[in-house]
Amino acid sequence: MPGKYTQREALYRVKYLITHLLASVSFLLACAVFLTVICWKSPILLLCLLLGSLTVAVIGRIGQLIGLPQGWLLLLQTLALSAILSIFWLDYFTDPAAAQFFAKAENFFKNTLTQGAQGTGTNAAVSLVFNVLRALYLLYIAVALIGVINAVRKDEDWQVVARTPLLVVIAVTIADVLTSFIIG
């Protein structure tokens, strides 16, 4: 009788299942605590995880109904989950649009130059100077981009035209990073 277990084998199987259940309870508890802490910080993560698990389950069920091979099913589920978590990643790591070039330098000069000043004119002057520098930088990028687009339209070597503006963008970015290192 291959389908029947002896009492000793049944007891061993129950003991085996209980041991694995107890071992996985600590893991599941740790995962629950981890997800709870993260979801308190970002409820969008909870939404993305629920949406991702629902999507994976729906894709799995549809794949079974239409007879999709296991490899394709796994690929589709992975792609769907990756897309949903990428949306979360983009939402989580985006900062407000207040990030600017030389913002730390501007704050440094405002704090340094206004220590002995009574009025707020120095703050306005420092902001004006940095905003003019930013505006000139944006205008340069816009004009350079127009030149690159015209070079592409005329079937010229656009890479040569784009090289100088790209070097300027890299130089300004490096200068901003170094300024942040120097100022702290």
Side-chain angles (χ1 to χ4, degrees):
M1 289 189 200
K4 298 217 175 193
Y5 295 112
T6 63
Q7 187 176 8
R8 178 177 255 161
E9 289 174 340
L11 185 62
Y12 176 74
R13 284 189 167 268
V14 169
K15 190 176 181 182
Y16 178 78
L17 289 174
I18 289 174
T19 304
H20 281 296
L21 181 66
L22 289 176
S24 62
V25 164
S26 61
F27 173 72
L28 292 174
L29 186 63
C31 288
V33 168
F34 175 71
L35 287 176
T36 304
V37 169
I38 287 182
C39 291
W40 278 338
K41 297 276 186 186
S42 174
I44 294 176
L45 176 62
L46 179 62
L47 176 70
C48 287
L49 290 174
L50 290 174
L51 187 64
S53 57
L54 179 68
T55 303
V56 167
V58 167
I59 289 174
R61 184 67 181 142
I62 291 173
Q64 287 176 350
L65 289 175
I66 63 173
L68 200 63
Q70 193 69 21
W72 283 101
L73 185 64
L74 185 63
L75 178 69
L76 286 175
Q77 288 174 333
T78 304
L79 288 175
L81 192 61
S82 298
I84 290 170
L85 290 178
S86 295
I87 291 169
F88 165 73
W89 183 78
L90 287 173
D91 178 65
Y92 187 76
F93 288 112
T94 54
D95 287 331
Q100 300 174 355
F101 279 113
F102 298 113
K104 288 185 180 180
E106 181 180 359
N107 290 335
F108 173 76
F109 281 114
K110 280 183 181 179
N111 293 336
T112 304
L113 292 177
T114 58
Q115 284 179 354
Q118 297 295 328
T120 60
T122 54
N123 277 343
V126 169
S127 292
L128 177 67
V129 168
F130 277 97
N131 287 334
V132 166
L133 286 173
R134 290 181 190 116
L136 289 173
Y137 178 61
L138 288 176
L139 286 174
Y140 174 75
I141 291 174
V143 169
L145 184 61
I146 291 170
V148 170
I149 291 171
N150 281 336
V152 170
R153 283 182 52 218
K154 294 178 184 178
D155 289 332
E156 295 176 358
D157 191 14
W158 63 271
Q159 293 173 347
V160 174
V161 178
R163 185 173 293 141
T164 303
L166 184 61
L167 288 174
V168 170
V169 168
I170 291 171
V172 170
T173 304
I174 290 173
D176 186 34
V177 170
L178 290 177
T179 302
S180 299
F181 282 140
I182 293 170
I183 292 172

